[in-house]
Amino acid sequence: MKISEVSKTLNIPSATLRYYEQIGLLEEIEKKNGIRDYSKQDIERINFITCMKKSGFKLEDIQTFINMDMTKATGPKARLEMLLRQKEILLQEIKEKEETLKFLDYKINIYKNKTDKNDK
């Protein structure tokens, strides 16, 4: 799949895809006649990066995660610890958003009641 197709399909700018390759988040993409040709495995890696970013990981953290030596006993444990730590952060953010949403609903109800009274 060409970079323009990947960009359009995944809604990621081509420059971002090139940057991921440049900093080593993506292995060097195979080229055919000088044009990047993304494999299914490359697409899976990009989806992984996107998911990790959405969960709050910084690119440097994703790089660290990817580069952990999985042949050593510490690799899987360190990855698990990173994921669990980020999950806790994400759960806290969700809790805060839910509290904010409750407050907004409260304020919305106040103003709905005021506008309903004015409409009568």
Side-chain angles (χ1 to χ4, degrees):
M1 187 181 272
K2 293 179 184 175
I3 193 168
S4 60
E5 295 169 313
V6 174
S7 175
K8 186 175 181 178
T9 302
L10 301 180
N11 198 27
I12 299 173
S14 297
T16 300
L17 296 170
R18 286 187 206 94
Y19 180 68
Y20 288 170
E21 186 178 353
Q22 180 185 356
I23 64 172
L25 283 175
L26 291 173
E27 294 181 13
E28 189 172 338
I29 305 300
E30 182 182 334
K31 293 181 181 157
K32 291 184 179 172
N33 298 322
I35 298 172
R36 285 176 175 82
D37 185 28
Y38 289 81
S39 68
K40 182 179 177 185
Q41 185 178 0
D42 297 326
I43 303 300
E44 288 172 3
R45 173 63 69 93
I46 294 164
N47 284 326
F48 165 77
I49 294 166
T50 302
C51 180
M52 296 291 272
K53 282 181 62 183
K54 285 181 181 178
S55 74
F57 276 92
K58 296 180 175 123
L59 292 180
E60 301 82 33
D61 298 329
I62 298 170
Q63 186 71 39
T64 299
F65 188 92
I66 289 170
N67 290 334
M68 286 180 181
D69 189 346
M70 295 303 288
T71 61
K72 296 182 179 177
T74 56
K77 184 178 180 186
R79 279 185 174 182
L80 176 60
E81 288 171 359
M82 284 181 77
L83 292 171
L84 290 172
R85 192 169 39 251
Q86 193 60 38
K87 180 180 178 182
E88 286 302 315
I89 292 168
L90 196 53
L91 286 171
Q92 182 60 37
E93 290 173 1
I94 290 169
K95 181 180 175 188
E96 290 170 5
K97 294 287 185 188
E98 286 173 343
E99 290 170 2
T100 301
L101 186 58
K102 284 180 188 177
F103 180 76
L104 285 175
D105 284 339
Y106 167 76
K107 295 303 269 184
I108 287 167
N109 285 329
I110 289 173
Y111 288 103
K112 275 185 178 179
N113 288 336
K114 286 184 179 196
T115 58
D116 287 347
K117 288 178 184 176
N118 290 337
D119 289 341
K120 290 181 182 181

